[in-house]
Amino acid sequence: MRFPLFVDAVARRAELRPEQAAAISRAVLRTVAERVRAGEADDLAAQLPDDLSAYLTGPAEAGGAGRPDAFGPLEFLRRVAERAGVEPATAQVGVRAVFATLREAVTVGEFQDLVAQLPESFTRGIDPSPPRPYDG
């Protein structure tokens, strides 16, 4: 799934403008890369096109040495909101849409691996099984 299609799916799911959906998508991927082990970020990136995977494989801002930065869901949302330049409520809707779109963009096993790396409070409400394709 190329970045424009990914952004379009996020925008439709979250009812956001494409510019906001793109900013939130980039922010979520960058924040996921900080929150999961480096190997998991690399595995996820390997299943995404370069224009998406770059946000998972760039230099980490925290954690270091392949260790995830241990922060909770409120900090996750704060980081996404700050990076995307949106209000926390918009970030929250966007994060859900990005995860739903990621679930379609990668294999079931890879999405389950990602969910397993996140605390239960992050994954509550995220169904790791494949969804019906989004058809707008």
Side-chain angles (χ1 to χ4, degrees):
M1 178 181 288
R2 303 293 300 166
F3 192 63
L5 294 174
F6 192 94
V7 167
D8 182 57
V10 171
R12 288 174 185 247
R13 281 189 169 99
E15 298 181 358
L16 296 171
R17 295 187 322 273
E19 307 80 44
Q20 281 184 312
I24 289 171
S25 296
R26 288 189 291 267
V28 168
L29 292 173
R30 186 71 232 131
T31 308
V32 162
E34 293 171 349
R35 187 59 184 82
V36 299
R37 289 191 305 270
E40 182 56 38
D42 291 342
D43 291 349
L44 184 61
Q47 292 196 18
L48 297 171
D50 290 346
D51 49 356
L52 283 170
S53 66
Y55 299 106
L56 290 161
T57 59
E61 295 176 17
R67 290 187 311 269
D69 190 4
F71 53 84
L74 292 177
E75 177 63 12
F76 189 95
L77 282 175
R78 187 200 67 75
R79 291 181 188 200
V80 169
E82 182 178 298
R83 287 181 171 136
V86 298
E87 295 295 319
T90 302
Q92 186 172 24
V93 170
V95 166
R96 283 191 199 116
V98 169
F99 274 106
T101 306
L102 273 174
R103 189 174 54 197
E104 288 182 356
V106 300
T107 65
V108 172
E110 185 52 44
F111 190 77
Q112 289 172 338
D113 288 349
L114 171 64
V115 169
Q117 292 257 335
L118 300 172
E120 185 181 334
S121 58
F122 276 50
T123 59
R124 211 172 286 127
I126 297 174
D127 182 0
S129 61
R132 293 181 324 175
Y134 183 81
D135 56 334

